[in-house]
Amino acid sequence: MVLATRSDREPSLPRTLWGSTIGKKAVMAVSGLIMLGYLVAHVAGNLKVFFGPEEFNGYAHWLRTIGAPVLHDEWMLWIVRVVLLASIVAHAVSAYQLSRRDIKARPVKYAHKRARASYATRTMRWGGVIIGLFVVWHLLDLTTLTVNPNAQPGRPYENVVATFSTWYGNVIYIVAMLAVGLHVRHGFWSAAQTLGAGNAARDRLLKTLANGLALALTAGFIAVPVAVMTGLVS
Amino acid sequence: MRLTLRVWRQRDAGAPGAMTTYEVDGISADMSFLEMLDTLNERLILDGEDPVAFDHDCREGICGACSLVINGDAHGPERTTTCQLHMRSFADGDTIDIEPWRAAAFPVVKDLVVDRSSFDRIIQSGGYISVPTGSAPEAHATPVPKADADHAFENAECIGCGACVAACPNGSAMLFTAAKVNHLNVLPQGAPERESRVLDMVATMDAEGFGGCTLAGECATACPKGIPLPSIAAMNKEWLRATRKGRRS
Ligand code: HEM
Ligand code: SF4
Ligand code: FES
């Protein structure tokens, strides 16, 4: 017996991934994990603020010279920026497209309302939008210094203190960091399921890890504004 | 028992529908939920009204035909099928809301009956194994490790009712598709089509207009057969593996 042969070529891997709900979710998971890795490094760096202006500003300067003399000034910084930008775009576009699809797949609501577990799903969508807006504000505040009250290039310590000396600076950062915690809590565990790492035996471990990461990030980031507010850092 | 029912009535797929209120009396706590609806329908027929259309077949919890959202829960308050739900789960004087499965891929046919042929098309695209027909093979010819057999059986319990889709805030069919994919993919009999099965079934699932998975977990809570949420992660793993390896059949 001769089997029918396929004359049509299989679609390329990126096309298969992007064209499927599972593949798109995998793109979301991987880009989210890249950003999560960045946040862990970021929170650790932020905590250097407790060692005073020389050490914190020196650290910020070192970030610009990583890889020297192989890499030129700021090259590493720009590599990280490009990877993060690509991750943000991939994450946001896949989240938007999948959310649109999900809403369309359930056009009629039930007449009998009850508190559904769409709680996590809704928090992820709103939380994502809040974090996105925050990142824009954050870059204007501490990278371009456009909205920073101190705005001294090369002196991030003084700029951070200036930000957290305003009431709105504290409110914006603390609200955003709570959103980050909630986002990471569902997001990390979710990414593990999407990438096929979840199973019944590992579920407790993954949930504990997700909660631990979320708590460490939120507490670590919020420690800085709290320290400025209480005068511990000035 | 005396009950107030608010039932979704819709003449046909194109007509607008509405929740309609009925009073029923003389309901015994030992009746099944469907017998309670039979009681209502007998009276409606005697009154010359159109009886409420709902799906049912085995009434034993094994066929997957019955499908009602009762007070917002797919298959009602107990973890079982609607046909195996009994009126003792309700109290005298209760008001009960009865609605059809809601999902874009499950359009309403009439009243509480929805068209679930999208599930059939998912099965047709890969939920089978290719074997020569003829006499049954010797049962010991293909040994299956105990853990694999258990995993396959756990997923094979799915009766295709669609409660997972009805309960999901995204109208996603991931739990159903995962149950079917895992059931065959862990067994040696399913191995020849291992990659094409998961790729094709997921592609059909997407094409039918089901939503994606956000791991809300409502599906596994509603499933009358206890298909576990990690089945979805197992299918994701199979799908990612198949995209890397490419189809072999
Ligand atoms: C209280 C919380 C935070 C503080 C105090 C903080 C502080 C800073 C500071 C001082 C910089 C500039 C570093 C430099 O000039 O070398 C920076 C950069 C950055 N932060 Fe944050 N950050 C916080 C939270 C976050 C969060 C939650 C995100 C992401 C969701 C984030 C994303 C970024 C990015 C992408 C940059 C790099 C900008 C660039 O140089 O390209 N930050 N942050
Ligand atoms: S997974 Fe459960 S809820 Fe979904 S179709 Fe199968 S038996 Fe029904
Ligand atoms: S009627 Fe067969 S499962 Fe309910």
Side-chain angles (χ1 to χ4, degrees):
Chain A
M1 190 179 72
V2 178
L3 291 173
T5 46
R6 297 176 69 90
S7 52
D8 48 338
R9 291 239 325 265
E10 274 185 47
S12 64
L13 184 62
R15 199 174 277 269
T16 309
L17 285 174
W18 196 248
S20 158
T21 49
I22 296 183
K24 209 165 269 185
K25 197 88 203 285
V27 170
M28 216 164 131
V30 170
S31 55
L33 290 177
I34 291 173
M35 292 192 280
L36 181 61
Y38 171 78
L39 283 189
V40 170
H42 193 356
V43 76
N46 283 2
L47 294 178
K48 297 208 103 187
V49 87
F50 289 102
F51 299 127
E54 287 83 53
E55 185 149 348
F56 191 70
N57 290 348
Y59 169 71
H61 178 73
W62 170 76
L63 290 177
R64 284 150 180 77
T65 58
I66 303 176
V70 176
L71 296 180
H72 187 62
D73 240 22
E74 293 206 350
W75 276 18
M76 194 59 202
L77 195 64
W78 278 103
I79 293 171
V80 172
R81 285 174 179 174
V82 168
V83 170
L84 285 176
L85 186 67
S87 301
I88 289 184
V89 170
H91 199 77
V93 172
S94 47
Y96 174 77
Q97 292 186 353
L98 285 171
S99 298
R100 280 286 301 269
R101 186 193 168 91
D102 294 347
I103 292 165
K104 246 179 58 193
R106 179 48 110 54
V108 184
K109 302 272 159 283
Y110 288 110
H112 188 103
K113 300 268 178 293
R114 69 176 184 78
R116 295 197 161 261
S118 59
Y119 163 76
T121 304
R122 266 184 290 126
T123 329
M124 288 306 274
R125 290 181 190 151
W126 279 109
V129 170
I130 290 172
I131 296 168
L133 292 173
F134 164 75
V135 169
V136 174
W137 172 263
H138 180 48
L139 294 183
L140 291 173
D141 181 26
L142 289 167
T143 303
T144 66
L145 306 178
T146 319
V147 297
N148 190 277
N150 188 49
Q152 267 181 293
R155 306 207 68 85
Y157 183 94
E158 290 74 5
N159 298 338
V160 166
V161 171
T163 290
F164 296 130
S165 304
T166 63
W167 67 267
Y168 59 86
N170 288 318
V171 170
I172 292 172
Y173 277 80
I174 290 173
V175 167
M177 291 315 108
L178 293 174
V180 165
L182 289 175
H183 205 80
V184 166
R185 184 166 182 253
H186 183 74
F188 179 79
W189 176 80
S190 224
Q193 309 305 313
T194 302
L195 298 176
N199 60 38
R202 222 181 274 153
D203 204 53
R204 273 268 295 280
L205 175 72
L206 286 170
K207 285 210 162 109
T208 310
L209 231 99
N211 290 343
L213 264 169
L215 200 69
L217 285 176
T218 302
F221 278 125
I222 288 183
V224 179
V226 169
V228 175
M229 276 193 274
T230 54
L232 198 65
V233 165
S234 59
Chain B
M1 292 168 81
R2 186 187 171 81
L3 299 163
T4 305
L5 306 178
R6 299 203 313 141
V7 184
W8 181 262
R9 301 301 312 260
Q10 179 174 343
R11 196 148 31 88
D12 55 55
M19 296 298 276
T20 309
T21 305
Y22 300 98
E23 304 286 335
V24 283
D25 206 352
I27 300 298
S28 138
D30 294 331
M31 278 183 179
S32 76
F33 199 84
L34 297 185
E35 284 170 327
M36 184 275 291
L37 285 181
D38 292 338
T39 310
L40 168 68
N41 275 348
E42 278 165 16
R43 199 194 75 209
L44 289 178
I45 291 167
L46 286 178
D47 291 351
E49 284 181 57
D50 197 16
V52 177
F54 60 88
D55 260 327
H56 62 105
D57 189 15
C58 70
R59 298 207 177 193
E60 288 181 341
I62 54 172
C63 74
C66 58
S67 49
L68 300 176
V69 171
I70 301 159
N71 286 340
D73 290 321
H75 289 309
E78 313 284 344
R79 175 170 258 201
T80 186
T81 54
T82 298
C83 59
Q84 291 294 299
L85 176 66
H86 289 82
M87 295 316 292
R88 51 181 164 270
S89 300
F90 300 89
D92 188 34
D94 273 1
T95 299
I96 307 176
D97 288 343
I98 310 172
E99 299 174 74
W101 283 175
R102 293 291 189 196
F106 286 167
V108 172
V109 176
K110 181 180 164 68
D111 297 337
L112 302 169
V113 177
V114 298
D115 178 356
R116 283 171 283 183
S117 54
S118 46
F119 265 17
D120 299 339
R121 289 186 287 275
I122 294 176
I123 294 290
Q124 280 159 14
S125 65
Y128 53 80
I129 57 169
S130 300
V131 286
T133 52
S135 57
E138 153 61 32
H140 293 295
T142 317
V144 179
K146 175 79 163 72
D148 290 356
D150 287 348
H151 187 55
F153 264 121
E154 185 175 48
N155 284 285
E157 280 194 57
C158 168
I159 53 176
C161 62
C164 43
V165 176
C168 176
N170 311 321
S172 172
M174 287 283 277
L175 194 67
F176 165 76
T177 311
K180 299 302 176 192
V181 165
N182 294 333
H183 159 209
L184 297 177
N185 271 26
V186 293
L187 293 174
Q189 289 87 344
E193 290 114 346
R194 182 171 170 188
E195 293 82 17
S196 57
R197 173 176 303 114
V198 63
L199 291 173
D200 291 341
M201 290 179 80
V202 168
T204 307
M205 176 188 88
D206 284 348
E208 291 291 341
F210 290 103
C213 180
T214 52
L215 279 315
E218 287 286 285
C219 53
T221 307
C223 175
K225 297 296 157 184
I227 305 298
L229 193 59
S231 277
I232 292 180
M235 173 171 71
N236 290 337
K237 193 172 174 180
E238 282 295 309
W239 190 88
L240 290 168
R241 177 184 170 279
T243 51
R244 270 182 278 117
K245 291 195 76 137
R247 50 180 75 236
R248 291 186 296 171
S249 57

